Amino acid sequence: MTTSAAKAMSAAGAAVSEGAVSEGAVSGRGGAGRGVIGLLAVTCGVAVGNVYFPQAAAPAVAAGLRVGAGTAAEAVSAAQLGYAAGIFLLVPLGDRVPHRRLVVVLLAVTAAALAAAGAAPGAGVLLAASAAAGAATVVAPVVGPMAAGLVPASRRGLVSGVLLSGSLGGMLLSRALGGPLAQWLGWRSPYLAAAALAAVLAVVLARALPVTVPPSGQRYRRLLLQPPALLWQEPDLRRSCFYQAAVFGAFSAVWTGVALLLAGPRYGLGAPAVGALALVNAVTMACTPVAGRVADRRGADAVNLWSMAGAVVAAGVLAVGCAGGTVGLCGLAAGSLLLDVAMQSGMVANQVRNYGLRAEARSRVNTAYMTCGYLGGAAGSWLAARVYEPAGWAGVCALAGALAAAALARHAAAARRRRGGPGRSAAARGA
């Protein structure tokens, strides 16, 4: 991860745009070359990775601090809850604070919080520092709207796909490297390494990012109230939110249930098996830019249709896991890969649709969208845990298929309304 970051940073240094880029760029005037977009993708990966590496380091934390596994797991929960709070409280500032300043400050605070976590003398300080790091590491939801304003509308899908690939890479690498690093060098090492990466990126981005002029001068309190209002005012935003909540709910249900399945009597495998299964989905990193190109050329709805249909099919393939043995594992690998590609491709399509709604409020639009998506994911996990006991893996697959089918039905209904012609209201066509 460090080598990739260094290469991207080097490329970015040669491609920095000259002069300031105002938020007028959102109307189509480009302000970011490939080097800057590559650097932003690396930044998304590092930021998102800060939420996920504590999962792999939790056993070493328990041993190092001499606390129970449950207490160590609370550090993971603290980071995730902090991230959710950061999306709601900090991401709307992207419409009011110049992006370069906001991103650099968030990375600097993240670095300080991670360093504090790595130096924590006990569980209490670790939990507090983890929550602070999670709240500050919301750089990816800030960077997405920023990048959309720096490139022409015809490239937004591709750029969204590249940034999402960076986030996926950070998620996978942080899980894959966090555990071994904690085991070899102690539980503090992944926290300190992540702090160093965030600090280096803050310094580089302070010089590399173009200057932008924020589109809004509204007070902070009003910014916080805007996402719910935008949900009410923008039917296409409601549509994107429903799609993401349903499909991400299916995705979360599957990953909650698969851990129980692999650890159960049918397979008798542990957490490493879940990690190995997750690594199969690294292929998705190559698929999201392709989905972005298709969304640029054929529109977001075309990609959404494929993604929802793919998620329904994936639920059926995943049900092969009920067979156990090699056949079952192959079904789980193929089904989880198809579901991951479908979910991430749909996310790119939704972002393309969202970024075309309100140029002056993209960060607030993204806040509403991300919040709904996370709520859907949390609901999917909650439902899967309750379905698994009475209905097993087959029940979880049925749940995932039902959620994806609900999104597909919603999409079909919206398409029928749009075909109804000009006699229908704009709200009906977008509903």
Side-chain angles (χ1 to χ4, degrees), residues 52-67:
Y52 290 96
F53 81 78
Q55 294 176 334
V61 170
L65 290 179
R66 298 179 181 177
V67 296

Side-chain angles (χ1 to χ4, degrees), residues 88 223-245 354 357-358 361 363-375 410 427 430-431:
F88 180 75
L223 289 176
L224 292 183
L225 295 175
Q226 280 293 301
L230 289 168
L231 270 175
W232 176 261
Q233 296 163 6
E234 296 288 346
D236 275 343
L237 176 58
R238 292 198 300 272
R239 200 153 59 92
S240 294
C241 289
F242 184 84
Y243 295 165
Q244 182 64 14
N354 294 345
L357 295 177
R358 298 279 188 101
S363 291
R364 283 162 284 175
V365 167
N366 206 33
T367 297
Y369 172 69
M370 295 291 289
T371 300
C372 290
Y374 271 95
L375 288 175
R410 176 77 167 78

Side-chain angles (χ1 to χ4, degrees), residues 80-91 131 134-135 138:
Q80 293 174 337
L81 289 173
Y83 192 75
I87 289 175
F88 180 75
L89 296 173
L90 299 178
V91 171
V138 290

Side-chain angles (χ1 to χ4, degrees), residues 7 34 137 150 171 176 235 241 316 371:
K7 288 181 180 179
R34 291 183 179 179
T137 199
L150 296 178
M171 184 190 309
C241 289
T371 300

Side-chain angles (χ1 to χ4, degrees), residues 152-164:
S154 60
R155 290 186 61 215
R156 284 177 189 157
L158 174 60
V159 168
S160 294
V162 170
L163 296 182
L164 185 54

Side-chain angles (χ1 to χ4, degrees), residues 201-266:
L201 278 173
V203 173
V204 172
L205 291 173
R207 298 180 59 86
L209 288 185
V211 176
T212 61
V213 177
S216 175
Q218 294 182 9
R219 293 179 180 273
Y220 176 63
R221 185 175 65 178
R222 184 166 178 78
L223 289 176
L224 292 183
L225 295 175
Q226 280 293 301
L230 289 168
L231 270 175
W232 176 261
Q233 296 163 6
E234 296 288 346
D236 275 343
L237 176 58
R238 292 198 300 272
R239 200 153 59 92
S240 294
C241 289
F242 184 84
Y243 295 165
Q244 182 64 14
V247 178
F248 189 50
F251 177 86
S252 299
V254 164
W255 283 101
T256 298
V258 81
L260 300 172
L261 174 68
L262 291 177
R266 182 159 295 167

Side-chain angles (χ1 to χ4, degrees), residues 12-102:
V16 176
S17 304
E18 294 183 2
V21 178
S22 75
E23 271 297 312
V26 294
S27 63
R29 298 194 295 274
R34 291 183 179 179
V36 172
I37 298 302
L39 177 58
L40 291 177
V42 172
T43 303
C44 289
V46 171
V48 170
N50 293 332
V51 183
Y52 290 96
F53 81 78
Q55 294 176 334
V61 170
L65 290 179
R66 298 179 181 177
V67 296
T71 301
E74 289 176 1
V76 179
S77 299
Q80 293 174 337
L81 289 173
Y83 192 75
I87 289 175
F88 180 75
L89 296 173
L90 299 178
V91 171
L93 289 173
D95 289 331
R96 191 178 192 278
V97 179
H99 287 117
R100 183 166 71 178
R101 182 193 306 168
L102 179 59

